[in-house]
Structures are given as C-alpha cells and as structure tokens.
C-alpha cells in the first residue's frame, strides 16, 4: 500500500460531472503537477479548489479539486477527488494523465480495502459499503447504513467484550489463586453469564435470517408442466409482458427472470421451462435447468392446470418439491375443472386465473405468511446479513454450547476456557480482527472500481 492509486468513482458515460479519486502518500503532489490554480500542497485540508487540469501546455478541463489530508480521510491516506465534466473522453483523458504521472489504476474495492487495512473501518462496515451500493429496497438501505455506521459492529463487540471479561477472570484465578480479594469464578458463577451470551447470540442469528432476507431477497421459481400458465403468472406478478405467452407447449425454453418488491422484500422471480420429456435438444437443456433451479430456490410456485387431469410427470415433480417451501397454484380456474387434488396432500393451495387476473393477491398473501414478512422488525434493522458472518455466529454459538456442557459435566475450568476462547475468535473474525488474506482479496474483488 505504498503506491498511489486512482480510479473513476462515478459511472462512466454521459453526465454532468465525473469524479476521479486518488489515495496514497503522493496523491496531492501528483495532482498538483497537472493542476493550474492554487498550490494544492499549501491549501487547507478538506477544501474544494477551482482550477484547470493542464498537461503539456494543453488545457484538458475546468475542474474542482477536493483535497483531504491524512489521517482524517476514508482511507486514512491523502485523498484527492477531481470533479471534471462528465463524458467518456474527458474522464479517460484525465485518468490517463494521472497514470502517466505515477498513479496505479485501483483494483475493484481497493479504496475500501485500504480503509479496512488502515483501521478506518472494520470488516462489517466494509461489507456494508457494498451492501449500501447494491440496496434495492428502503429496508436493505437501512440495514446497510446501520452496518456502515457501526451499529452491527457494536453488537458483536459487546458480545466479545463479555466473553473476554469471563476469560480474564478465569486467567486471574488460574494464575493467582492465592489472591482472596479477586472474585473466584466457580463454574456455577460462570454458567449464568454463558447462558445469557448464548441467548443473545441465538437472538442475533434469528434476526440475521431476516437481514439476509431483506438484503438478498427470496429466490422464487415458477415450475410446472408446459402450458399450465407459468409465463402468464410471471407477467401478472411483474405487471409487464416479460415472458412470451402462446398456446404452443415448450415456448419457454430458458429461464426468464424478473423482480418485484413485496412488503420491502425483493422477490427474484424465475419462470422456468415447462418440465416434460422431450427429444428437442434445446428444450431438454431448459428442462434440466428448471430441475436444477428447484434445488437452489428458496420458494417454489408449483403451477397446475385446473382444466387438465394430473399427469405422472406432475406427480414426480411434486415429489421433487414436497420437502421445500412451495405454494401450489391451481391456474385456469375460469375453465371447467378436470383436476383432482383431493388425495395429493398439497400444501398452500391457491386458486388463480392468470387470464382473468384473479388470485394474485391471495398468492402474495401466502408468501407473506410463509416468510412472516409482517413480523420482520423494520424499526431496528441492526442485522448481520452476510451468509459468512451468520455461519461464524453459529460456530461461536457452538463453542458456547460446548463450554456450557463442559461446566455441567464438571470439566476443569481451564478446559472450559478453551471453548470460550474459540467462540471469541469467531466473533473477532466477523469484525475482521483476524482474517485470511485470500478471503479479504475475494471480498473486495466484488466491489466496483473507484470504491
């Protein structure tokens, strides 16, 4: 991190302004060499300065340059932001000049990575930066902002602090048992504290599933035989003609995607190819993709045709979805009933007519019920919403459970201490206090350039 990096921080294209960001020890010196205006080395920190970018006697653009001197910057390094006129040619020209003058093009997420490595933010706050950029709903934005503001980190730090206090007292009593004025933590005194920590971690994990739901949404696959109305149902949910609808079986041969927001939760809708035996190579690939999506989806909408009898293939499909979250949609209820489902023991049955646009609200209400969307607390959105962090919380909980079991089994306190230390390590890993370099590189590689 000894070099100076630069990147375009705004979307590249036609616009009013573009922002080019630099970070590193030489940021101010490099920009000062091509800036016609005040001497940037002598201006106050956190000031905006008017002038022109000039290179080899050519005026490149009229700009505003913001100078921010270390350590009170996002990266805790010298940071300079050049506000130039928007447009591909001007922006790229200034970026090219900066590279010629000694900058290196930043890697995706490298500014945020430097903020993390320099101790400006912890790992939860770093991940929240990307979550904020990707937020598609107001709830997702609030979760990301709370993570960025350190609210989530406070929860994890508070748990870690309580574990460290227990460990500290155990260490004192192991090393200095003759000190009568130091509280002697017997197993019975430790146990209530560990049980409370267990309850608190369990509650955070429970809430975190809601956070993951808000951040990532629900992956919903619409499956069924050809021509039962899957594409019509998708179009009805999206309120647009996204999928082609015909009376010809096998019209949908690939996955058609769309999104809607239900009570602040994004539904990622996937209309799959009709599942049937076929000799058509392209359609066969579509059917295989549909079957694979069943395994990966959070929710299945299993569509049956009210005007046709049940087929062996639909019975087989029902066996594939019965152990997952699914809603059975009996479509085409505007036609004469030939479908008999009395002996099938189906769950969450909704009757619809996509043609007549009937039953849509019943379907949405069923989704609300399955995921208890009305019970998600939108007032205190301080959730852990990252799958990796939820997994680490579960591991931390596992070690607390083990320490509680050890106490109940009268295991020596120094053995119980090992489990508590392991739990504490997992909490530290969530905060990024101990981390795997490859994991960190992978995390920040998913960020956009300039962030």
């Amino acid at each position: 991190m000894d070099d100076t990096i630069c990147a375009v921080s705004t979307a590249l294209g036609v616009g009013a302004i573009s922002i080019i960001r630099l970070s590193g020890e030489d940021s101010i010196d490099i920009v000062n060499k091509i800036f016609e205006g005040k001497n940037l080395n002598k201006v106050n920190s956190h000031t905006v300065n008017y002038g022109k970018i000039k290179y080899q006697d050519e005026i490149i653009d009229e700009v505003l340059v913001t100078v921010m001197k270390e350590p009170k910057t996002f990266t805790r390094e010298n940071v300079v932001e050049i506000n130039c006129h928007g447009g591909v040619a001007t922006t790229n020209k200034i970026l090219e000049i900066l590279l010629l003058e000694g900058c290196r093009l930043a890697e995706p997420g490298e500014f945020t990575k430097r903020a993390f490595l320099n101790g400006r933010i912890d790992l939860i706050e770093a991940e929240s930066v990307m979550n904020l950029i990707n937020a598609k709903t107001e709830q997702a934005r609030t979760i990301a902002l709370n993570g960025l503001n350190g609210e989530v980190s406070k929860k994890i730090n508070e748990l870690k602090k309580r574990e460290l206090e227990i460990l500290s007292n155990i260490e004192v009593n192991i090393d200095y048992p003759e000190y009568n004025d130091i509280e002697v933590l017997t197993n019975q005194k430790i146990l209530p504290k560990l049980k409370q920590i267990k309850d608190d971690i369990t509650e955070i994990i429970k809430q975190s599933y809601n956070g993951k739901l808000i951040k990532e949404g629900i992956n919903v696959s619409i499956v069924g035989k050809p021509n039962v109305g899957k594409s019509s149902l998708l179009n009805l949910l999206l309120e647009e003609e996204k999928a082609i609808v015909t009376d010809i079986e096998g019209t949908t041969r690939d996955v058609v995607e769309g999104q809607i927001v239900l009570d602040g939760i994004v539904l990622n809708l996937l209309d799959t190819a009709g599942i049937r035996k076929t000799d058509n190579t392209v359609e066969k690939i579509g059917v295989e993709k549909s079957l694979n999506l069943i395994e990966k989806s959070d929710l299945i909408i299993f569509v049956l045709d009210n005007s046709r009898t049940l087929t062996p293939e639909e019975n087989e499909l029902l066996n594939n979805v019965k152990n997952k979250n699914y809603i059975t949609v009996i479509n085409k209820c505007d036609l004469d009933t030939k479908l008999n489902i009395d002996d099938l023991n189906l769950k969450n049955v909704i009757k619809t007519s996509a043609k007549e646009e009937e039953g849509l609200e019943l379907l949405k209400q069923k989704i609300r019920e399955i995921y208890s969307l009305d019970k998600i607390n939108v007032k205190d959105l301080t959730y852990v919403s990252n799958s990796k962090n939820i997994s680490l919380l579960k591991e931390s909980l596992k070690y607390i459970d083990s320490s509680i079991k050890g106490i109940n089994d009268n295991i020596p306190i120094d053995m119980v201490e090992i489990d508590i230390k392991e739990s504490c390590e997992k909490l530290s890993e969530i905060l990024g206090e101990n981390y795997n370099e490859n994991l960190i590189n992978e995390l920040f590689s998913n960020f956009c350039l300039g962030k």
Side-chain angles (χ1 to χ4, degrees):
M1 296 200 303
D2 295 331
D3 52 358
T4 297
I5 58 174
C6 66
V8 181
S9 290
T10 47
L12 197 57
V14 178
I17 61 168
S18 290
I19 299 175
I20 303 165
R21 175 187 283 177
L22 297 83
S23 181
E25 184 178 351
D26 299 328
S27 295
I28 301 172
D29 287 335
I30 290 173
V31 177
N32 199 42
K33 285 191 288 184
I34 61 171
F35 181 68
E36 189 176 80
K38 292 181 180 178
N39 184 341
L40 298 179
N41 284 308
K42 295 183 179 180
V43 301
N44 293 329
S45 182
H46 294 76
T47 58
V48 180
N49 305 274
Y50 167 78
K52 294 180 176 67
I53 296 295
K54 186 175 181 181
Y55 188 67
Q56 295 180 347
D57 297 325
E58 178 188 358
I59 300 295
I60 306 300
D61 195 18
E62 188 178 32
V63 297
L64 293 174
V65 175
T66 305
V67 175
M68 294 168 276
K69 298 178 181 179
E70 62 172 340
K72 293 183 178 181
T73 69
F74 179 62
T75 61
R76 284 191 173 165
E77 302 172 339
N78 287 333
V79 171
V80 178
E81 290 184 352
I82 302 172
N83 288 250
C84 64
H85 286 94
V88 176
T90 301
T91 306
N92 280 343
K93 183 64 176 178
I94 296 175
L95 184 64
E96 177 189 336
I97 293 168
L98 291 172
L99 295 174
L100 290 172
E101 289 298 320
C103 283
R104 170 175 65 77
L105 188 63
E107 298 172 358
E110 190 169 359
F111 291 93
T112 309
K113 182 180 179 180
R114 288 190 175 203
F116 166 69
L117 293 175
N118 288 330
R120 167 67 174 75
I121 55 177
D122 62 36
L123 198 55
I124 291 177
E125 292 166 326
E127 291 170 332
S128 297
V129 171
M130 200 62 206
N131 292 343
L132 189 60
I133 293 170
N134 291 331
K136 295 186 176 99
T137 66
E138 180 63 17
Q139 285 92 333
R141 183 195 66 81
T142 305
I143 284 181
L145 197 60
N146 282 336
L148 187 59
N149 290 340
E151 296 301 320
V152 181
S153 300
K154 286 178 186 176
K155 279 191 172 185
I156 304 301
N157 267 313
E158 194 271 336
L159 281 169
K160 182 184 167 189
K161 180 182 177 182
R162 284 153 61 190
E163 291 187 2
L164 287 172
E165 286 174 355
I166 293 173
L167 289 170
S168 176
N169 282 308
I170 290 174
E171 290 285 351
V172 167
N173 282 272
I174 290 173
D175 294 341
Y176 306 103
E178 68 278 9
Y179 284 10
N180 295 325
D181 59 334
I182 297 176
E183 179 187 6
V184 178
L185 281 184
T186 64
N187 287 355
Q188 292 306 311
K189 289 182 180 178
I190 292 174
L191 192 57
K193 296 182 179 181
L194 289 176
K195 284 183 175 179
Q196 186 59 58
I197 290 172
K198 174 185 175 178
D199 290 343
D200 291 345
I201 295 178
T202 301
E203 181 60 25
I204 291 174
I205 292 172
K206 180 182 175 182
Q207 291 179 345
S208 294
Y209 284 116
N210 289 338
K212 188 172 182 289
L213 199 69
I214 292 170
K215 189 186 91 170
E216 299 178 6
I218 303 170
N219 295 323
V220 184
S221 288
I222 305 173
V223 303
K225 287 270 290 178
N227 210 26
V228 295
K230 300 184 302 299
S231 297
S232 297
L233 187 62
L234 175 74
N235 290 340
L236 193 59
L237 285 165
L238 295 177
E239 298 181 357
E240 65 172 297
E241 297 298 315
K242 182 90 175 194
I244 298 172
V245 178
T246 74
D247 293 330
I248 302 170
E249 291 190 349
T251 300
T252 304
R253 296 191 173 189
D254 203 350
V255 176
V256 181
E257 302 181 24
Q259 289 183 333
I260 63 170
V261 177
L262 182 64
D263 294 354
I265 305 298
V266 174
L267 302 186
N268 303 305
L269 300 169
L270 306 170
D271 174 26
T272 64
I275 297 174
R276 66 170 179 173
K277 293 180 180 178
T278 177
D279 294 326
N280 184 290
T281 303
V282 177
E283 188 180 354
K284 189 181 292 185
I285 294 171
V287 171
E288 289 173 358
K289 289 176 75 172
S290 298
L291 292 171
N292 288 333
L293 278 172
I294 290 175
E295 296 303 314
K296 298 176 182 178
S297 297
D298 303 311
L299 177 66
I300 307 294
I301 296 179
F302 177 35
V303 185
L304 295 171
D305 186 344
N306 179 63
S307 67
R308 297 192 297 193
T309 58
L310 200 71
T311 67
E313 288 168 314
E314 286 171 320
N315 265 317
E316 184 179 343
L317 184 56
L318 178 59
N319 285 328
N320 288 337
V321 305
K322 67 181 181 182
N323 293 323
K324 296 186 69 68
N325 275 341
Y326 77 92
I327 298 172
T328 306
V329 170
I330 311 297
N331 193 35
K332 303 188 183 181
C333 286
D334 53 306
L335 302 178
D336 292 339
T337 300
K338 293 183 180 178
L339 182 67
N340 183 4
I341 61 170
D342 292 342
D343 300 326
L344 293 181
N345 194 29
L346 296 173
K347 295 193 300 187
N348 304 317
V349 178
I350 300 294
K351 293 185 177 182
T352 67
S353 170
K355 181 180 179 181
E356 301 297 329
E357 299 187 4
E358 295 176 354
L360 184 63
E361 285 306 315
L362 292 174
L363 176 58
K364 290 180 179 179
Q365 186 56 37
K366 185 57 68 175
I367 295 173
R368 290 186 181 99
E369 290 174 12
I370 290 173
Y371 286 93
S372 302
L373 298 187
D374 60 326
K375 296 180 181 177
I376 293 178
N377 184 357
V378 295
K379 294 181 180 178
D380 180 26
L381 297 180
T382 50
Y383 300 145
V384 173
S385 57
N386 178 290
S387 297
K388 173 183 68 69
N389 289 341
I390 293 173
S391 177
L392 288 169
L393 278 170
K394 286 182 176 179
E395 289 185 50
S396 179
L397 179 62
K398 180 187 71 175
Y399 286 114
I400 291 297
D401 277 334
S402 179
S403 66
I404 291 172
K405 183 178 184 299
I407 289 174
N408 289 330
D409 292 343
N410 294 316
I411 290 176
I413 193 64
D414 54 340
M415 299 298 292
V416 172
E417 179 188 22
I418 294 172
D419 284 326
I420 302 173
K421 281 182 178 178
E422 290 291 346
S423 176
C424 204
E425 284 291 310
K426 297 303 175 186
L427 297 179
S428 293
E429 197 172 333
I430 293 172
L431 296 166
E433 293 172 350
N434 49 7
Y435 58 86
N436 178 287
E437 187 173 347
N438 291 331
L439 184 66
I440 293 298
N441 289 336
E442 182 182 350
L443 167 67
F444 288 105
S445 69
N446 294 320
F447 279 50
C448 52
L449 278 170
K451 193 55 190 168

